[in-house]
Amino acid sequence: MLTVDCKDILAIQNELLVYVADQVAAIPTLKNHQFTLSTLDDDADDAEVIDTSVVISSIREFLDSIGEGRNFVVTSRNDIITIQSISGKRIERNASSSSQGMFSCTHCGFITQYQIELDTHMKIHYL
């Protein structure tokens, strides 16, 4: 499991999460200022390891695609990938596109704005 620290890019954290998880075929889990990527195979013996270099490349591609590639550095230490602003400036957007109030399923990475929708979704995992 890899953790991606998004303190400096909270405004685009959700978009980045979707892009990276799609690129590396991993299950994302959204947290406060970070997200984690888990393998699709839960079996510990045969579990594939997520390639950190592929995740870093995906993050850089995403930042380049929105014109922010030169403003951020992506580093890795152990199983934590950090995205840091070079100049100290964070990416900001208006409040309507903020990641506040987003809920994520811990089983499959499903993301919604509504707690009740997440609760209903979680029930399918226990049928």
Side-chain angles (χ1 to χ4, degrees):
M1 176 170 36
L2 289 176
T3 301
V4 180
D5 186 357
C6 301
K7 288 179 195 169
D8 290 349
I9 60 164
L10 282 177
I12 61 167
Q13 177 181 1
N14 294 337
E15 293 93 349
L16 177 65
L17 172 136
V18 171
Y19 182 82
V20 172
D22 187 47
Q23 292 292 315
V24 298
I27 299 172
T29 303
L30 186 62
K31 296 188 178 184
N32 289 335
H33 61 79
Q34 63 189 17
F35 63 88
T36 59
L37 297 169
S38 305
T39 60
L40 299 174
D41 186 12
D42 289 339
D43 187 13
D45 297 333
D46 298 328
E48 294 180 24
V49 177
I50 298 173
D51 188 356
T52 305
S53 63
V54 174
V55 174
I56 291 173
S57 294
S58 297
I59 293 169
R60 288 183 179 149
E61 283 177 21
F62 181 81
L63 291 172
D64 286 340
S65 73
I66 62 170
E68 294 288 346
R70 295 181 185 177
N71 299 326
F72 292 89
V73 63
V74 183
T75 58
S76 172
R77 176 178 280 170
N78 299 327
D79 288 338
I80 299 175
I81 297 172
T82 305
I83 305 167
Q84 293 178 312
S85 173
I86 294 172
S87 65
K89 181 181 175 190
R90 296 178 176 202
I91 295 178
E92 296 179 5
R93 291 193 178 163
N94 59 17
S96 65
S97 64
S98 174
S99 64
Q100 298 296 326
M102 297 298 285
F103 301 96
S104 174
C105 176
T106 56
H107 299 289
C108 68
F110 172 77
I111 298 174
T112 181
Q113 293 179 355
Y114 308 105
Q115 178 67 47
I116 191 73
E117 186 177 6
L118 177 65
D119 294 341
T120 303
H121 167 83
M122 292 285 282
K123 291 178 183 176
I124 68 168
H125 293 290
Y126 300 104
L127 292 177

